[in-house]
Amino acid sequence: LTGYSDLGTFFGGRAIIGTPWGGNLGLTYLNTQVADIANAQTQIYGADLNLTVAGIGISGEWDKSDPNAALTDAVTAPDGSSYAEKNSAWNGKLSYQTGKLGLAAGYTQVEANYTAPGSWNRLGSIINPTNIKGIVGNVTYAFTPGLSFVGDVQFLQPNDAGSPVNFRQPVDKSLLGAPAGEIDKINYWKAGVKYALTSADSVDLGYEQAEITPVDPANANRVERYVTLGVGHTFSPGASLKVLYQITELAATDTLRGGVAAAQIQFKY
């Protein structure tokens, strides 16, 4: 169920309320139905807050997935528990901007049975991991109006030692999981430089690495590395083209390397 690879119908709404210090409070509700289970549905509640106090940005988010009896009776979570428990997620972050430098640090936690549509996190080929917690951070620096750097880090570990760490695959969206007690930590780094050649053309260079360390030191770390070069061109405010080439490397007991090229054209109306 994690990531809802097979959705039926869903509906929801969102309200944004102004707060002191120029902030805003967001309230979200979503009702999703699982297509292949009769009358099965999950209600998802969320609240997020963003404001600035004394030059420090404060942001936080809390979400909870609440399945009905038809779903919990039909499906058992991978660790044998019910989806009606261990089903919340939250994160908080502080940020500060001084001149050209921006810094942010925070903490995130996603419980083992949290489920929701969409994409809330990605670590290399790991999408929407659950049963994780840890420190997150990012840094930005604008060297010139046309040249900027951005870096992100996440230092994660299992939230519940008795539950597996589950995640989706990037292509077929199927659910995978590492058994309880197998993963010790997941470290993720991402860095990129963007350079505006002209008002219409830009070049991006990025590096990304996800490393999974097992509990058993006899097992090899799994390391994913990605180097991406992208070139973009804007034809008009509503039309753009981006071409990229990515070098990938997967290292565990053996090392696999490859490359892929892609082009994306976008129109907005």
Side-chain angles (χ1 to χ4, degrees), residues 90-116:
W90 66 271
N91 63 76
K93 182 180 288 186
L94 300 176
S95 59
Y96 182 70
Q97 184 76 35
T98 172
K100 299 179 178 180
L101 177 66
L103 300 171
Y107 189 86
T108 185
Q109 177 177 299
V110 182
E111 293 186 320
N113 297 334
Y114 175 73
T115 59

Side-chain angles (χ1 to χ4, degrees), residues 127-203:
I127 299 176
N128 290 358
T130 59
N131 191 35
I132 54 95
K133 64 180 179 182
I135 297 171
V136 301
N138 70 283
V139 57
T140 60
Y141 191 83
F143 297 97
T144 67
L147 178 62
S148 59
F149 168 85
V150 60
D152 295 279
V153 296
Q154 297 187 50
F155 303 115
L156 306 174
Q157 64 185 63
N159 179 58
D160 180 359
S163 299
V165 175
N166 291 309
F167 52 89
R168 289 194 293 117
Q169 293 190 103
V171 178
D172 63 8
K173 311 303 181 185
S174 59
L175 180 66
L176 296 178
E182 182 174 292
I183 292 179
D184 179 45
K185 57 186 177 181
I186 303 174
N187 291 336
Y188 174 77
W189 300 266
K190 184 178 182 180
V193 176
K194 183 173 183 177
Y195 179 59
L197 297 171
T198 68
S199 59
D201 300 286
S202 63
V203 177

Side-chain angles (χ1 to χ4, degrees), residues 229-233 241-245 261-264:
L229 174 64
V231 179
H233 177 74
L241 170 69
K242 188 165 187 178
V243 179
L244 65 84
Y245 181 75
Q264 180 184 55

Side-chain angles (χ1 to χ4, degrees), residues 1 20 23 25 30 33 53 61 67 72 92 107 126 146 152 158 161 169 174 191-192 198 206 208-210 229 252:
L1 287 174
L25 171 66
L30 186 65
Q33 299 183 16
V53 180
E61 181 179 6
T72 56
Y107 189 86
I126 297 173
D152 295 279
Q169 293 190 103
S174 59
T198 68
E208 185 178 1
Q209 177 174 311
L229 174 64

